[in-house]
């Protein structure tokens, strides 16, 4: 008898987990609290309590290194996916491997607990709720695929006087489109991927945009010197060999010199503080 596996979440990881379970002759059941698969890649105009990408987002990992290993992108797909293109790819993946029938939508997992005989069977009790009705089932294994970006971090207590601020405060998780910022002065805090993306997009429509960062950052282009995707060129055996052979301080010096050829990060207040990780 096939072992039953509960998969929590039908995002990128959840979908691949269902597929892997089927490859190993297991019996997966995926619980997804929203009404569709795709996780944060399923764009929504409304704030539905889920982490969602903004409409203009582009992947920063090229298609050769972001696809499922047994389901490459179509040749006509661009090197870096827009949200819509990546969502289309997930749809193709689900349809090709027939995963939809294993997903229960609008179902929230309330609890996952070990059964009384867990030491002997290794089984779990999983309680779920669908449209107000609870159900309990026994599974041989549980795969938690809820992702890293479920809860936003908004440390307002770190900013004295923030309660006196009359403007709008929101996390990048709540950002969808730039229309609401027409003609406004905007401060973005944090120079991560989303901070940089949103700053560039708002600079075309807002009256003024400020980007705040504590320690600086390396600004990396998606394309390398030869026009190939940067991450494809950097993750290579030669680079791995260099890392094992050469001291870290020397590698950091080489990488820093290369990064500053594009523009001098210090001139823009983006140089990394000494003692912190370089690249």
């Amino acid at each position: 008898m096939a072992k039953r596996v509960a998969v929590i979440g039908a995002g990128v990881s959840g979908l691949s987990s269902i597929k892997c379970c089927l490859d190993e002759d297991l019996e997966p059941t995926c619980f997804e609290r929203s009404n569709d698969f795709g996780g944060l890649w399923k764009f929504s105009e409304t704030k539905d309590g889920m982490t969602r990408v903004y409409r203009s987002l582009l992947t920063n990992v090229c298609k050769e290194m972001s696809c499922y290993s047994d389901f490459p992108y179509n040749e006509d797909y661009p090197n870096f996916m827009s949200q819509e293109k990546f969502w289309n790819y997930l749809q193709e993946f689900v349809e090709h491997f027939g995963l939809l029938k294993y997903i229960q939508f609008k179902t929230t997992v309330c609890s996952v607990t070990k059964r009384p005989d867990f030491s002997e069977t290794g089984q779990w009790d999983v309680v779920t709720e669908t449209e107000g009705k609870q159900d309990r089932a026994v599974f041989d294994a549980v795969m938690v695929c809820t992702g890293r970006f479920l809860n936003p971090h908004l440390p307002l207590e770190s900013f004295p006087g923030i309660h006196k601020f009359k403007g709008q405060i929101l996390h990048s998780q709540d950002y969808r489109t730039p229309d609401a910022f027409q003609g406004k002065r905007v401060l973005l805090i944090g120079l991560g991927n989303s901070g940089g993306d949103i700053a560039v997009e708002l600079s075309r429509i807002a009256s003024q945009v400020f980007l705040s960062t504590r320690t600086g950052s390396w600004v990396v282009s998606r394309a390398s010197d030869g026009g190939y995707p940067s991450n494809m060129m950097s993750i290579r055996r030669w680079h791995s060999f260099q890392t094992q052979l050469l001291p870290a301080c020397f590698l950091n010096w080489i990488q820093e010199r290369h990064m500053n050829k594009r523009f001098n990060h210090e001139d823009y207040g983006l140089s990394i503080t000494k003692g912190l990780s370089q690249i």
Side-chain angles (χ1 to χ4, degrees):
M1 184 176 178
K3 291 190 174 182
R4 302 185 65 207
V5 180
V7 180
I8 305 175
V12 173
S13 298
L15 295 176
S16 59
S17 296
I18 299 171
K19 165 67 168 49
C20 289
C21 285
L22 296 174
D23 290 344
E24 299 297 328
D25 295 322
L26 302 173
E27 186 181 319
T29 301
C30 179
F31 303 109
E32 169 56 45
R33 62 174 175 164
S34 70
N35 60 0
D36 212 339
F37 58 83
L40 62 85
W41 288 97
K42 174 63 176 177
F43 179 79
S44 174
E45 293 279 4
T46 59
K47 298 178 183 179
D48 55 2
M50 300 285 289
T51 304
R52 304 289 190 184
V53 297
Y54 36 94
R55 186 180 289 282
S56 61
L57 184 140
L58 292 177
T59 61
N60 55 12
V61 179
C62 64
K63 64 180 180 181
E64 289 83 1
M65 302 188 71
S66 63
C67 65
Y68 294 117
S69 58
D70 54 357
F71 194 73
Y73 289 105
N74 293 330
E75 287 294 328
D76 61 345
Y77 272 46
N79 281 336
F80 298 94
M81 304 293 114
S82 65
Q83 175 274 326
E84 184 178 11
K85 277 288 186 183
F86 193 83
W87 166 241
N88 290 341
Y89 171 72
L90 292 180
Q91 288 179 299
E92 293 165 3
F93 179 78
V94 168
E95 182 178 349
H96 181 80
F97 292 109
L99 306 183
L100 198 61
K101 60 185 176 182
Y102 300 98
I103 306 173
Q104 295 183 16
F105 294 108
K106 295 184 179 180
T107 301
T108 302
V109 176
C110 302
S111 66
V112 177
T113 56
K114 296 178 180 179
R115 289 181 58 78
D117 57 354
F118 178 83
S119 59
E120 299 174 4
T121 64
Q123 292 182 325
W124 303 80
D125 277 325
V126 178
V127 178
T128 59
E129 184 175 316
T130 307
E131 298 180 349
K133 182 180 179 181
Q134 285 198 347
D135 187 33
R136 182 186 299 269
V138 178
F139 290 91
D140 298 290
V142 178
M143 303 180 75
V144 181
C145 306
T146 52
R148 296 178 52 200
F149 306 107
L150 191 60
N151 298 312
H153 180 51
L154 200 62
L156 298 182
E157 67 281 357
S158 300
F159 304 99
I162 192 68
H163 62 281
K164 298 178 181 178
F165 180 63
K166 303 299 182 183
Q168 182 184 14
I169 300 173
L170 72 157
H171 192 272
S172 59
Q173 179 176 298
D174 299 319
Y175 179 79
R176 295 292 183 271
T177 60
D179 303 340
F181 299 91
Q182 175 77 46
K184 295 184 177 182
R185 298 176 77 240
V186 183
L187 168 65
L188 289 107
I189 301 174
L191 186 52
N193 295 329
S194 56
D197 265 358
I198 296 171
V200 171
E201 183 168 53
L202 291 185
S203 68
R204 303 187 182 105
I205 193 170
S207 65
Q208 197 168 15
V209 175
F210 299 89
L211 183 57
S212 169
T213 175
R214 285 187 299 176
T215 59
S217 181
W218 296 115
V219 179
V220 183
S221 172
R222 288 183 173 89
S224 67
D225 295 340
Y228 293 99
S230 292
N231 53 4
M232 177 186 290
M233 300 303 292
S234 62
I235 305 176
R236 306 169 71 184
R237 290 186 185 137
W238 170 243
H239 287 265
S240 178
F241 175 73
Q242 284 182 315
T243 302
Q244 297 174 19
L245 185 65
L246 300 174
C249 59
F250 182 66
L251 289 174
N252 284 338
W253 177 78
I254 293 175
Q255 291 171 327
E256 182 176 341
R257 190 169 173 220
H258 178 74
M259 299 294 287
N260 280 323
K261 279 185 178 180
R262 185 162 175 254
F263 66 85
N264 191 325
H265 285 65
E266 187 174 354
D267 289 345
Y268 290 86
L270 296 175
S271 57
I272 304 294
T273 303
K274 287 185 178 181
L276 298 179
S277 175
Q278 297 289 302
I279 298 176

